[in-house]
C-alpha cells in the first residue's frame, strides 16, 4: 500500500538506544474504509515518510523552514495531530502510527485542510526513533492514551518503559517537553514514577493545550479518570 517517496538523507551516526523485541501493538488488519484506502493511494505521497535505516534531515522534509518540530506517537485517527498542524502553521508536525485505517483517516484530513506542515510515518515508533531520527530533534513529543495492556501478564508490552523514556529523551532538544495522558491508574502511576526517578526531567504544572481524543472519550465513557503529565527535559 505504501509508495516510495524520495527524500534527502543526512548521515549522522546514531547507535540504536535499545532494541525492543516485544512490540507495544498488535497490527490490526481491521476495517479500512474505501475513503481511507483512497487517501492512502492519493495522499501517502506527499505526507508519508518511508521506513528506512538512514537518519533523516527534518529541515529538508518540511517545506516550512521554521525549526520547531513536534512529534505525536500513536496518533490513532490523528484528530489532535491535525488540529495542532492546522492551528500552528509555523511549526512542523510529525506523527508515527502503525494502524492503517487511522493513518488513512489522518491523510483524508491532512488533504482536506491542505496541510503543508505535517509528515507521517507508518512504523513502530521505536524503530523510527532509533533508525531515522537524529538526536535532539524535537521541541515536543506527545503520547496520548498509549495502549494500556491492562492484564498484568501483558504489562511488558506497554510502550512507556524506562528504556523508551531514555530513547525519547535522546530525541528531545534541551528544554523540550513530553506530554502524556492515560486513563489507566496503574499505568499513570508507573509513568509518573519513571519520570520522577530521572533527574533530567522536571514535572510541569501547566499542561500544553491538546484536543480530546477518541480513546480519551472511550475512557471517560467507562468512568475512568484522565491522568495527564508534562515533563520538561533539563538539558542545557
Ligand atoms: C489506545 S490508541 C490511542 C490513539 C490516540 N492517541 C487516541 O488517544 O485516540 C494507541 C495507539 O498507539 C499506536 N501504537 C502503539 N504502539 C505503537 C508503536 N510502537 N509505534 C507506533 N504506534 C503505536 C496504536 O496503533 C494505537 O493506534
Amino acid at each position: 500500500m505504501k509508495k516510495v517517496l524520495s527524500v534527502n538523507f543526512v548521515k549522522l551516526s546514531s547507535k540504536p538506544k535499545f532494541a525492543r523485541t516485544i512490540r507495544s501493538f498488535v497490527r490490526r488488519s481491521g476495517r479500512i474504509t474505501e475513503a481511507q484506502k483512497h487517501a492512502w493511494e492519493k495522499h501517502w505521497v506527499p505526507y508519508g515518510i518511508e521506513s528506512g535505516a538512514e537518519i533523516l534531515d527534518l529541515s529538508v522534509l518540511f517545506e516550512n523552514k521554521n525549526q520547531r518540530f513536534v512529534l505525536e506517537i500513536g496518533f490513532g485517527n490523528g484528530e489532535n495531530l491535525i488540529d495542532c498542524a492546522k492551528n500552528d502553521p509555523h511549526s512542523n508536525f510529525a506523527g508515527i502510527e502503525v494502524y492503517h485505517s487511522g493513518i488513512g483517516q489522518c491523510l483524508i484530513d491532512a488533504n482536506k485542510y491542505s496541510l503543508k506542515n505535517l509528515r507521517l510515518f507508518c512504523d513502530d515508533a521505536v524503530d523510527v526513533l532509533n533508525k531515522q531520527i537524529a538526536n535532539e530533534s524535537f521541541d515536543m513529543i506527545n503520547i496520548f492514551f498509549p495502549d494500556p495492556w491492562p492484564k498484568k501478564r501483558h504489562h511488558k508490552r506497554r510502550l512507556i518503559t524506562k528504556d523508551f523514556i531514555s530513547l525519547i529523551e535522546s530525541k528531545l532538544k534541551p528544554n523540550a517537553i513530553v506530554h502524556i495522558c492515560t486513563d489507566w491508574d496503574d499505568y499513570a502511576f508507573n509513568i509518573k514514577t519513571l519520570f520522577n526517578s530521572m533527574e533530567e526531567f522536571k514535572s510541569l504544572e501547566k499542561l500544553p493545550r491538546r484536543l480530546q481524543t477518541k480513546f480519551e472519550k472511550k475512557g471517560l465513557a467507562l468512568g475512568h479518570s484522565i491522568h495527564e503529565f508534562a515533563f520538561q527535559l533539563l538539558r542545557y
Side-chain angles (χ1 to χ4, degrees), residues 10-187:
V10 282
K11 287 198 178 181
L12 298 175
S13 68
S14 160
K15 271 198 188 148
K17 270 273 188 187
F18 81 107
R20 187 174 173 140
T21 47
I22 302 169
R23 301 282 188 193
S24 60
F25 57 89
V26 175
R27 276 197 198 271
R28 289 173 272 175
S29 56
R31 254 172 12 97
I32 177 159
T33 65
E34 284 306 313
Q36 290 163 351
K37 267 192 214 161
H38 180 73
W40 264 97
E41 281 155 19
K42 290 255 321 181
H43 311 307
W44 175 253
V45 178
Y47 289 108
I49 301 173
E50 295 301 322
S51 301
E54 305 223 35
I55 297 287
L56 300 166
D57 184 347
L58 294 184
S59 65
V60 173
L61 282 176
F62 289 90
E63 281 174 31
N64 175 357
K65 290 304 157 213
N66 189 325
Q67 296 299 298
R68 184 169 186 270
F69 298 102
V70 178
L71 173 68
E72 185 169 331
I73 296 174
F75 60 77
N77 288 336
E79 53 278 79
N80 179 73
L81 192 56
I82 294 285
D83 184 66
C84 289
K86 256 169 59 186
N87 290 310
D88 185 1
H90 300 299
S91 295
N92 298 303
F93 294 86
I96 313 178
E97 180 51 79
V98 291
Y99 170 41
H100 277 210
S101 75
I103 296 172
Q105 188 55 48
C106 192
L107 289 170
I108 291 173
D109 294 330
N111 175 61
K112 179 169 155 192
Y113 298 111
S114 305
L115 297 177
K116 301 280 181 245
N117 57 342
L118 175 71
R119 305 305 300 267
L120 306 177
F121 293 85
C122 174
D123 206 344
D124 186 335
V126 173
D127 291 340
V128 173
L129 291 170
N130 267 325
K131 295 178 187 165
Q132 296 186 274
I133 302 295
N135 288 345
E136 299 198 12
S137 287
F138 294 109
D139 296 272
M140 182 170 313
I141 295 183
N142 296 325
I143 309 173
F144 300 145
F145 303 92
D147 292 298
W149 295 106
K151 291 183 183 154
K152 198 154 192 213
R153 69 176 191 278
H154 289 151
H155 281 187
K156 56 184 177 289
R157 284 186 169 275
R158 287 179 167 177
L159 179 67
I160 302 174
T161 61
K162 196 165 180 50
D163 283 340
F164 185 74
I165 296 173
S166 298
L167 175 62
I168 57 176
E169 188 225 316
S170 67
K171 305 301 168 185
L172 293 170
K173 292 180 188 170
N175 297 318
I177 290 172
V178 188
H179 188 185
I180 301 181
C181 321
T182 179
D183 58 319
W184 287 80
D185 298 347
D186 68 319
Y187 202 3

